Amino acid sequence: MYNIALIPGDGIGPEIIKEGRKVLESASKQNGVEIKWTEYPFGAEHYLKTGELLPDSALKEMEDMDAIYLGAVGDPRVKPGILEKEILLKLRFYLDQYINLRPIKLFKGVPTPLKDKKPEDINFYVVRENTEDFYVGVGGRFNGKKNQDHLEVIRKLYKASIEVNFELEKEEEIAYQVGLISKPGTERVIKYAFELAKKKSLNLVSSVDKANVLSNIYGLWRDTFEEIANQYPGIETEFTFVDAITMWFVRKPEWFKVVVAPNMFGDIITDLGAMIQGGLGVAAGGNINPDGVSMFEPIHGSAPKYKNKSVVNPIATILAGAMMMDSLGETKLAKDIENASEQVLSEGKVRSKDFGGSSSTVEVGEEVVLKLRKI
Ligand code: IPM
Ligand code: MN
């Protein structure tokens, strides 16, 4: 039996999680597995009503669970950043989910905007670092009236070679944000990428950075990548700059097998990855701590304008559920869900709006369950 925390969240979150849960329950029953769900109300509604975001007591409870299944957080009534930082990022950081694994896979029957590319051309993994880089939240925004001490920080951070007038007028503003890369933090995510390549018999790991400009942090990233790569002589490697890789994702996606990226570049390139695999409706991801509690979610957000309309595609969330079961060691169960989803997509009889169909969120979820029963 698995204890799983359920956070449906905001916008379309509850609708897609409902379908994901339905599919997981059905697949579990078929495979003699039991799931005990503990549902949490965290998100915009709860925050606006109670002022509470994510209490320590809940974090402590989740620490003892097997996994977390998350819909989405984000709501136009709440200033951007609050729910994201205080719920989603807090969970990632607190549970030290240092891997963000995002498979980019074009399923049969799914339209890709890339002309002439087929399912066999788009099938790779992005391993995104998930706890460091520009996500550490170090920075400041200030003007000449207040927080003069930030000036000291900036003076220290700024290259002396660049002359900057630090005599701020009262109303003038300066802001800065620091990216931080640590050797152990980089080692563990790059190791994970190589182990993944080994496990899946993939012979190329591509490293993403911008070491030509941000040479301190991504210089360390590069050095660490080289060190780890030496431990895997059978696997080929390459360095790619983040700007260039966006071009190659579009031009030659068949080149890639495992891509490992620092947090922010990983964030950006996986939205592009989601598009080439057919859109956010099918893109799933896992926030993974291989020795702790991991959290699985669709890559898309809460899409408030579609809330309660039952028009969005639940497949991304369903596939995130499959990734969750796979991480718990239930490989057959996970495969069953993936196969059932693939059948629904390739058959195309039941199609959600994003693929030009008119099936509802519920109909897609139910069709996956029907296909599961026939496996
Ligand atoms: C993602 C999202 C988050 C991120 C936001 C909502 C904080 O874009 O999961 O990719 O930047 O990591
Ligand atoms: Mn993102």
Side-chain angles (χ1 to χ4, degrees), residues 102 128 135 267-268 270-271 299:
R102 298 185 159 180
R128 167 186 172 192
Y135 279 68
D267 174 45
I268 296 165
T270 49
D271 266 27
I299 293 187

Side-chain angles (χ1 to χ4, degrees), residues 294-367:
S294 302
M295 172 167 74
F296 297 83
E297 54 171 336
I299 293 187
H300 63 68
S302 59
K305 71 174 177 190
Y306 297 125
K307 181 181 169 157
N308 289 334
K309 298 207 165 101
S310 198
V311 293
V312 297
N313 192 344
I315 293 280
T317 310
I318 291 169
L319 291 173
M323 286 179 75
M324 175 166 77
M325 297 320 287
D326 188 62
S327 83
L328 294 172
E330 298 293 341
T331 36
K332 155 126 192 340
L333 198 162
K335 214 56 228 150
D336 285 355
I337 296 178
E338 205 183 291
N339 288 341
S341 306
E342 181 155 31
Q343 277 177 39
V344 174
L345 292 169
S346 64
E347 207 174 82
K349 260 198 339 236
V350 173
R351 259 182 181 248
S352 43
K353 275 230 166 69
D354 51 342
F355 296 148
S358 58
S359 307
S360 68
T361 307
V362 179
E363 281 165 342
V364 175
E366 276 170 2
E367 188 66 12

Side-chain angles (χ1 to χ4, degrees), residues 137-207:
V138 177
R141 179 173 161 177
F142 59 100
N143 59 29
K145 260 197 294 221
K146 54 178 184 186
N147 296 333
Q148 287 287 342
D149 51 332
H150 280 265
L151 276 179
E152 274 318 302
V153 180
I154 289 223
R155 280 201 180 94
K156 285 191 187 129
L157 292 171
Y158 230 89
K159 281 242 173 69
S161 60
I162 300 171
E163 280 303 320
V164 173
N165 178 10
F166 281 127
E167 303 312 317
L168 283 185
E169 293 298 325
K170 270 203 171 105
E171 304 306 327
E172 273 175 1
E173 274 194 296
I174 286 190
Y176 67 98
Q177 194 92 33
V178 179
L180 184 144
I181 297 278
S182 77
K183 178 115 186 188
T186 307
E187 268 171 0
R188 61 185 187 173
V189 65
I190 291 176
K191 248 199 186 114
Y192 183 92
F194 277 94
E195 285 298 323
L196 179 71
K198 208 165 115 183
K199 186 170 142 200
K200 306 271 179 194
S201 302
L202 300 168
N203 63 353
L204 175 67
V205 178
S206 312
S207 167

Side-chain angles (χ1 to χ4, degrees), residues 205-337:
V205 178
S206 312
S207 167
V208 180
D209 64 46
K210 188 75 188 174
N212 48 347
V213 179
L214 302 164
S215 48
N216 290 307
I217 58 176
Y218 301 131
L220 174 57
W221 173 277
R222 260 189 193 216
D223 292 347
T224 309
F225 182 86
E226 269 180 340
E227 274 176 41
I228 306 284
N230 286 335
Q231 300 165 19
Y232 296 85
I235 298 175
E236 282 179 46
T237 61
E238 64 177 358
F239 288 115
T240 55
F241 292 132
V242 62
D243 46 351
I245 207 171
T246 59
M247 173 184 78
W248 290 112
F249 269 19
V250 172
R251 271 197 81 168
K252 209 174 174 192
E254 63 274 23
W255 176 258
F256 296 104
K257 309 261 168 52
V258 174
V259 175
V260 62
N263 206 343
M264 196 167 76
F265 296 153
D267 174 45
I268 296 165
I269 64 173
T270 49
D271 266 27
L272 177 58
M275 279 303 120
I276 67 174
Q277 72 178 121
L280 288 166
V282 288
N287 304 275
I288 297 173
N289 176 341
D291 309 307
V293 184
S294 302
M295 172 167 74
F296 297 83
E297 54 171 336
I299 293 187
H300 63 68
S302 59
K305 71 174 177 190
Y306 297 125
K307 181 181 169 157
N308 289 334
K309 298 207 165 101
S310 198
V311 293
V312 297
N313 192 344
I315 293 280
T317 310
I318 291 169
L319 291 173
M323 286 179 75
M324 175 166 77
M325 297 320 287
D326 188 62
S327 83
L328 294 172
E330 298 293 341
T331 36
K332 155 126 192 340
L333 198 162
K335 214 56 228 150
D336 285 355
I337 296 178

